[in-house]
Amino acid sequence: MTAILLDGAVIARHTFSELEPRVRALGKLGVRPGLAAVCVGDDPASAIYVRNKVRACTEVGLHSEVHTLGANCTENALLEKLERINHNPDIHGVIVQLPLPRQLDAGRVQRAIAVDKDVDGFGWHHLGALVAGHPVYTPCTPLGVMAMLDYAGITIEGRRAVVVGRSVIVGKPMALLLISRGATVTVCNSKTPDLARLTADADILVAATGRAGLITADMVKTGAAVIDVGINRLPDGKITGDVDFAAVNAKAGWLTPVPGGVGRMTVAMLIANTVTAAERQSGMTPA
Ligand code: NDP
């Protein structure tokens, strides 16, 4: 058995094709959705992620701007920058590229983004809305995972799902989205005893740990949907996920590659959230 590969590039293109008429409709109102990305320092991985986001904006017809501050910038300088962007009517969505240098409090910075422009959905307003079952902007990575599951026609309701990782940006919102769709969800962390026993019971297994090769074939149920969120750089420079791809590919029913899987969908969902933000800020009802 070989798993069906969930190709992030293909599914992202499908998402973009659905966004295009919405972008055209905004254009008729004289509105071009705009995304501002704020970067601090010169982390090479962050630079690649931001470049991918800018490229996706261009592909779908969005305006984008990148604001870069030095690695030593103060929190006040960053907050002032965000305040100016918050008030720019040409910008409908704002993101701060993570990670931030240690002198900056990422939580406080995230919360300085205007609620209606917080298209990463990391602010407390959006996380709370997700908990309450009334999501506005949902964090893009888990949203992208849901889009992949739906694209592949994978049943969620009534299934056992295991999310390995409990971060605010991936693990927790991922669990909430799966719960909202009727899955029975277990959330694991680095202290979880007998991780393999739990993961081996999962119909849907989401790995979001940042530990290369953590999920081995013996930890996977035959025929399961295995979603690899992890992005890990090996000593030889290669990028790999949290899943032992070759072995799990022979056992899973569906599998996402790294690179070319969830990462593409994270970007696609950011673009989708920005289009939705532009619609809301223009008085349109989002599709
Ligand atoms: P964090 O470091 O914030 O969280 C990692 C989580 O994994 C923690 O909850 C941690 O547990 C858990 N964990 C670590 N080791 C183990 C283990 N051995 N067994 C079980 N759980 C473990 O990372 P993020 O959530 O921000 O990101 C996770 C991964 O996803 C990273 O590789 C990141 O690069 C990638 N990523 C990919 C994106 C994409 O678009 N594809 C987007 C965002 C992130 P504990 O809480 O106990 O420490």
Side-chain angles (χ1 to χ4, degrees), residues 100-222:
L100 289 174
R102 277 223 294 266
Q103 78 273 17
L104 303 171
D105 179 335
R108 198 157 45 219
V109 169
Q110 292 292 340
R111 292 193 293 280
I113 297 173
V115 166
D116 60 343
K117 297 191 179 186
D118 179 13
V119 285
D120 259 339
F122 295 155
W124 288 350
H125 176 94
H126 295 301
L127 293 172
L130 182 60
V131 173
H134 299 286
V136 184
Y137 300 121
T138 302
C140 301
T141 301
L143 196 59
V145 171
M146 297 305 280
M148 293 179 109
L149 294 172
D150 286 339
Y151 183 88
I154 294 166
T155 304
I156 298 172
E157 191 174 64
R159 296 296 171 95
R160 272 182 209 283
V162 172
V163 179
V164 190
R166 56 171 165 175
S167 73
V168 170
I169 66 170
V170 187
K172 281 181 194 161
M174 185 73 252
L176 288 166
L177 287 174
L178 289 164
I179 289 169
S180 74
R181 291 281 297 275
T184 301
V185 182
T186 304
V187 184
C188 304
N189 60 65
S190 64
K191 315 289 187 304
T192 300
D194 209 353
L195 180 68
R197 186 179 56 79
L198 296 170
T199 58
D201 209 21
D203 303 305
I204 298 168
L205 174 58
V206 181
T209 67
R211 302 285 178 274
L214 175 73
I215 305 297
T216 48
D218 58 305
M219 298 169 76
V220 171
K221 182 177 180 177
T222 301

Side-chain angles (χ1 to χ4, degrees), residues 22-37:
R22 293 169 59 187
V23 173
R24 275 199 302 277
L26 281 161
K28 285 185 185 146
L29 297 179
V31 176
R32 187 176 183 209
L35 175 71

Side-chain angles (χ1 to χ4, degrees), residues 6-21:
L6 299 176
D7 185 332
V10 170
I11 307 172
R13 264 201 302 280
H14 173 74
T15 301
F16 290 163
S17 70
E18 290 184 337
L19 290 174
E20 276 156 11

Side-chain angles (χ1 to χ4, degrees), residues 182-283:
T184 301
V185 182
T186 304
V187 184
C188 304
N189 60 65
S190 64
K191 315 289 187 304
T192 300
D194 209 353
L195 180 68
R197 186 179 56 79
L198 296 170
T199 58
D201 209 21
D203 303 305
I204 298 168
L205 174 58
V206 181
T209 67
R211 302 285 178 274
L214 175 73
I215 305 297
T216 48
D218 58 305
M219 298 169 76
V220 171
K221 182 177 180 177
T222 301
V226 180
I227 309 295
D228 192 351
V229 177
I231 300 177
N232 309 292
R233 191 172 287 278
L234 298 175
D236 65 3
K238 285 200 184 111
I239 299 289
T240 186
D242 292 352
V243 175
D244 176 352
F245 184 87
V248 171
N249 192 29
K251 195 171 182 189
W254 295 266
L255 180 59
T256 63
V258 178
V262 175
R264 296 291 194 113
M265 292 307 295
T266 297
V267 176
M269 293 301 120
L270 176 67
I271 304 302
N273 279 352
T274 304
V275 171
T276 301
E279 289 170 339
R280 287 211 173 95
Q281 288 161 47
S282 310

Side-chain angles (χ1 to χ4, degrees), residues 39-43 68-74 100-104:
C39 306
V40 183
D42 52 7
D43 177 53
T68 305
L69 288 84
N72 295 324
C73 90
T74 63
L100 289 174
R102 277 223 294 266
Q103 78 273 17
L104 303 171

